Amino acid sequence: MIHHRKSLEIDARPESLWAILSRFMHIDEFAPQVASVDALTTGQDGVGSKRRCHFENGTSLVEEVTDWQVNKGYRVRLSEMPAMPLTQAHAAIAIEPLANGHSRVVWSMDYQMKYGPLGWLMGQTLMKAMMGRVLESNLKALAEKVQSVQIPDAQYAYY
């Protein structure tokens, strides 16, 4: 598995970030590439919740929650992703409390590429670059969303 992660320090408490992230079926309210979401399960969000994310480029994939920690984050397993050169993938969002009401949000992806050694090389280069841009834009959009709700002039920094 190839591991890739991005983090962002946000001027918001974990509870404020969780209020947005825990609306699992509504990631399209802030993630720039997600055009819409179909809820594939009903009831309270948590382990077992499933959504289909439809992207701006016309592709989609399914995410199922495999770990759910209130105010700390969640992990999902990706499936039904024929447009991607992956055999399996997992994503995780973790919220770490920091001093002065700030938090660090870590968004990571673990994935295994198709096509053997050539796929692995593609995963280490092209895929990591693409994933990095997606993760950074998601983190920035999350920061903007939480700050527009509670702290309009907050600062953030990438690590």
Side-chain angles (χ1 to χ4, degrees), residues 2-6 33 61 78 81 84-86 88-91 107-113 122-123 125-139:
I2 297 171
H3 178 76
H4 193 60
R5 66 174 252 159
K6 291 287 183 178
Q33 294 85 7
L61 58 78
L78 284 65
M81 49 188 175
M84 298 181 79
L86 306 175
Q88 61 177 311
H90 301 270
W107 205 314
S108 63
M109 289 284 301
D110 293 288
Y111 51 94
Q112 187 170 350
M113 301 291 296
M122 185 173 68
T125 55
L126 300 173
M127 195 67 160
K128 263 195 176 179
M130 186 270 301
M131 289 286 185
R133 287 190 299 275
V134 169
L135 297 178
E136 282 181 4
S137 68
N138 285 352
L139 286 166

Side-chain angles (χ1 to χ4, degrees), residues 111-155:
Y111 51 94
Q112 187 170 350
M113 301 291 296
K114 296 177 183 174
Y115 315 122
L118 179 60
W120 181 87
L121 182 60
M122 185 173 68
Q124 291 289 352
T125 55
L126 300 173
M127 195 67 160
K128 263 195 176 179
M130 186 270 301
M131 289 286 185
R133 287 190 299 275
V134 169
L135 297 178
E136 282 181 4
S137 68
N138 285 352
L139 286 166
K140 184 176 179 183
L142 174 62
E144 290 169 357
K145 174 80 171 173
V146 74
Q147 292 163 1
S148 71
V149 172
Q150 69 173 30
I151 307 170
D153 295 324
Q155 298 296 313

Side-chain angles (χ1 to χ4, degrees), residues 4 7 12 29 38 47 50 73-74 82-83 87 94-96 112 124 157:
H4 193 60
S7 66
E29 292 178 350
D38 297 333
V47 173
K50 287 174 99 172
Y74 58 81
T87 58
I95 306 167
E96 303 168 358
Q112 187 170 350
Q124 291 289 352

